[in-house]
Amino acid sequence: MAKSKRRNIQNSVKKASPFVNYWTTKNFVLLFAGLAVVLLGFILMAQGPWDNPLSLTVSPLVLLVAYLVIIPAAILFSGKKQKEEDV
């Protein structure tokens, strides 16, 4: 017969995940702001003829800021962590 192991009560307590409430209102605001800036960049790209300085220089810079700064900031931003009190 196989030996039955006793479960330790302390080991069976589940620990809270650190990713439960990661996305806060600030994260969503930054994400939607980034998507709005991406949309603005594509609208600027569609303006005027193909050799328009607005569509050749300003639009790619706006898109770079949106893709490389604002959207990653929305993903990586985390507010101040609250200290958990040990019981």
Side-chain angles (χ1 to χ4, degrees):
M1 265 195 170
K3 293 183 180 179
S4 62
K5 294 183 179 180
R6 293 180 112 190
R7 293 181 68 188
N8 192 352
I9 295 173
Q10 293 174 349
N11 290 341
S12 66
V13 176
K14 293 183 180 181
K15 295 182 180 178
S17 174
F19 302 106
V20 173
N21 293 325
Y22 181 77
W23 284 87
T24 61
T25 306
K26 291 181 182 180
N27 293 96
F28 285 114
V29 168
L30 280 173
L31 181 66
F32 290 128
L35 293 176
V37 172
V38 167
L39 183 64
L40 175 70
F42 281 114
I43 289 172
L44 289 175
M45 193 177 291
Q47 298 299 314
W50 67 271
D51 59 350
N52 186 4
L54 186 67
S55 62
L56 285 177
T57 57
V58 176
S59 172
L61 292 176
V62 169
L63 289 171
L64 277 174
V65 167
Y67 283 126
L68 297 178
V69 176
I70 299 174
I71 293 176
I75 295 170
L76 297 175
F77 177 75
S78 62
K80 294 181 181 179
K81 296 182 180 179
Q82 296 176 357
K83 294 182 181 179
E84 295 181 14
E85 296 180 13
D86 295 333
V87 177

